[in-house]
Amino acid sequence: MSQKPNVIIFGGMNALAASLALHLHPLDGELLVAHLRIVDKFSMFPPTTHVLSDFLKLLKEREGAVEYRQANLTVASTVSKCFTDPAPNGQPYTHIFDLTGESTHDRPAEVQIAQTFSVSLLIGKEAAKHSIKAYVRSLSSYYDHDTEKKSYTEDDPDGWTPLGVRGTWWHESVRALASIPNLPLVVIRKAYVYGPGVPRGDVTTCILLGLVYKHLGEEMKFLWGPKLKKNTLYSQDAVRAGWMCSQWVASMTRDQANAAAGVPIPPSGDKSVTSVPDVVAPTETVIAPVFNLTDDGDTDQDLLGQVIAQYFDIKSGFHGAITMQLAKLKFDDMVEEVNELHTSKWTEIITQASPPVPSTPLSPYAPRYQLERRGCALNGQKMKEIVGYTPKYPRFSVETVKETIDSWKSEGIWPQT
């Protein structure tokens, strides 16, 4: 039997890092890795971001096999030590998961450059100095997929138009990583992730709004129409696919990976990026293995609404033409009004719950960008054919919503009403 690898997870403690760690080194079940090092800016004891209780248990019970480092990943010497400080088993770290990046949508370009682009590139360059076998870059759904019919394949340039400053610098980070010679890179472009360990995001917000409208006794209505694509991905499938991709790319050279799954990653189209050092010139073609990752349900707003309505026993629908026209004319006012309604009712729910959960990280507050006409439409066939991946949670369903809420209940962050 081949030796299990040593793994480093960079970033993502406010997203999927804890779930990935528990997949690689479960409290019960077969261990997939020999030693696991997780590095991020947050404190764990006490936690300065919400993390799964099982992850904290993992850190306490598996101290010799799982290590957490609170570190500033903008510092080159700090990143270097993550690779050069030896693991207890004396073996090098060969599989790297890059979950770094600033996910808050309204951060200015300076912050996105420092926290997303520069950090990822720093880790990638350092990784290339060592004998690593896999570098998995996780990419979120920060692209302009305003569509009701099309699903974008990895090689479709129309699917690579980033949304806003955040999207631009996440995208440029991938182009920069792809330009590093011999880096065993594989990029996973994910649909909207939800499920255990995901207390925020587009789908999470929709689920929470189901409870809000249950308490309001009103129909939950969406903007923009039923067929707008909102492709979904269950968190447990996301981390499982990440591990499968790492094994796939570790079995070959970068040239072989490019030949099997490489696609040109076009420039972001933002002319201002050329003034930033290390940005790949827009005229330069970069190729990297890329896999879309989504479930099989081809989720749209209609399915989202129907499933959530069924779970909470409420009605769902869509705003009419007059309301939509008014929303377009006074969009900012509409965003403020609906958030005031939702958050005030949410405050009632969490304070009147039994027991109250005033410190829950869950919130139905929807930033402006979440309410704009934007979607996610990914064709996930390529990963199935090349990597052999199939989702265990193939559709956004009442069952997956229930499992998600049950996980929040077990964490003590869901308001029992």
Side-chain angles (χ1 to χ4, degrees):
M1 181 179 293
S2 61
Q3 184 178 19
K4 294 176 181 177
N6 288 351
V7 172
I8 307 178
I9 302 172
F10 287 100
M13 282 311 306
N14 59 345
L16 285 172
S19 295
L20 177 58
L22 288 163
H23 179 73
L24 300 179
H25 198 113
L27 290 167
D28 299 303
E30 181 185 359
L31 305 185
L32 301 178
V33 303
H35 188 264
L36 178 60
R37 177 174 286 167
I38 308 109
V39 190
D40 206 346
K41 63 184 178 182
F42 301 103
S43 166
M44 289 295 108
F45 299 104
T48 52
T49 188
H50 174 75
V51 292
L52 292 168
S53 57
D54 275 353
F55 177 75
L56 298 178
K57 185 178 181 182
L58 181 69
L59 295 182
K60 291 178 180 178
E61 294 187 359
R62 308 290 172 83
E63 188 175 351
V66 180
E67 168 198 337
Y68 180 79
R69 290 188 175 193
Q70 183 181 7
N72 182 353
L73 292 174
T74 65
V75 179
S77 60
T78 300
V79 172
S80 178
K81 282 176 65 63
C82 293
F83 287 89
T84 59
D85 285 353
N89 60 17
Q91 299 300 313
Y93 292 94
T94 58
H95 290 53
I96 310 302
F97 289 86
D98 181 357
L99 277 58
T100 63
E102 175 56 65
S103 59
T104 306
H105 75 287
D106 58 355
R107 295 290 191 264
E110 294 78 11
V111 173
Q112 285 292 348
I113 293 167
Q115 299 294 334
T116 301
F117 177 79
S118 296
V119 166
S120 188
L121 183 58
L122 194 61
I123 297 168
K125 285 182 173 180
E126 184 64 33
K129 299 176 184 177
H130 302 271
S131 300
I132 71 163
K133 297 179 179 179
Y135 190 102
V136 181
R137 175 55 172 164
S138 178
L139 185 59
S140 296
S141 309
Y142 303 147
Y143 291 92
D144 185 6
H145 292 178
D146 178 4
T147 180
E148 296 186 353
K149 296 180 179 180
K150 188 173 184 178
S151 290
Y152 295 98
T153 56
E154 293 85 348
D155 59 355
D156 187 339
D158 291 342
W160 285 105
T161 304
L163 281 170
V165 171
R166 177 180 62 176
T168 293
W169 288 108
W170 277 75
H171 181 80
E172 290 294 346
S173 76
V174 171
R175 278 177 53 83
L177 288 172
S179 72
I180 299 175
N182 298 319
L183 182 70
L185 174 68
V186 59
V187 179
I188 301 176
R189 183 167 60 163
K190 308 186 304 294
Y192 293 142
V193 182
Y194 73 104
V198 186
R200 59 188 64 83
D202 292 66
V203 180
T204 296
T205 300
C206 289
I207 293 172
L208 301 180
L209 287 175
L211 182 60
V212 168
Y213 280 92
K214 175 75 170 180
H215 280 257
L216 286 170
E218 297 178 9
E219 182 180 7
M220 181 175 66
K221 291 186 177 182
F222 289 80
L223 296 168
W224 312 122
K227 297 305 178 184
L228 179 62
K229 296 287 186 72
K230 295 280 187 176
N231 288 178
T232 49
L233 174 66
Y234 200 67
S235 57
Q236 305 308 305
D237 276 335
V239 298
R240 187 171 60 86
W243 173 243
M244 292 180 69
C245 285
S246 76
Q247 292 178 297
W248 173 81
V249 78
S251 69
M252 62 190 74
T253 66
R254 171 66 182 275
D255 286 343
Q256 289 171 332
N258 278 351
V263 298
I265 302 175
S268 63
D270 186 335
K271 295 180 180 178
S272 69
V273 304
T274 56
S275 64
V276 176
D278 294 318
V279 166
V280 179
T283 54
E284 185 174 338
T285 299
V286 291
I287 295 175
V290 179
F291 294 105
N292 290 338
L293 180 56
T294 182
D295 62 27
D296 292 338
D298 198 23
T299 308
D300 56 22
Q301 289 208 127
D302 190 32
L303 179 61
L304 269 178
Q306 286 184 19
V307 167
I308 294 169
Q310 184 178 347
Y311 179 85
F312 288 104
D313 192 23
I314 59 175
K315 292 182 178 180
S316 71
F318 293 85
H319 288 288
I322 295 176
T323 301
M324 287 297 302
Q325 191 61 35
L326 290 172
K328 291 177 183 178
L329 293 172
K330 296 184 176 181
F331 194 75
D332 287 332
D333 291 342
M334 182 273 295
V335 171
E336 184 176 350
E337 289 175 10
V338 298
N339 275 316
E340 184 177 347
L341 171 65
H342 296 160
T343 56
S344 62
K345 177 54 67 172
W346 185 251
T347 299
E348 289 181 20
I349 293 170
I350 64 176
T351 55
Q352 295 173 11
S354 181
V357 286
S359 299
T360 177
L362 302 173
S363 171
Y365 179 85
R368 188 185 197 278
Y369 83 94
Q370 279 192 7
L371 295 173
E372 293 172 340
R373 185 181 172 96
R374 51 185 287 276
C376 178
L378 298 174
N379 183 318
Q381 188 62 29
K382 178 177 163 184
M383 185 182 287
K384 293 180 178 181
E385 294 175 353
I386 294 178
V387 180
Y389 164 83
T390 55
K392 289 186 177 179
Y393 300 86
R395 287 177 61 86
F396 182 73
S397 65
V398 172
E399 290 73 24
T400 60
V401 171
K402 181 181 184 302
E403 287 192 27
T404 300
I405 293 175
D406 285 347
S407 74
W408 292 336
K409 289 178 180 178
S410 68
E411 294 290 321
I413 61 174
W414 176 261
Q416 302 278 14
T417 58

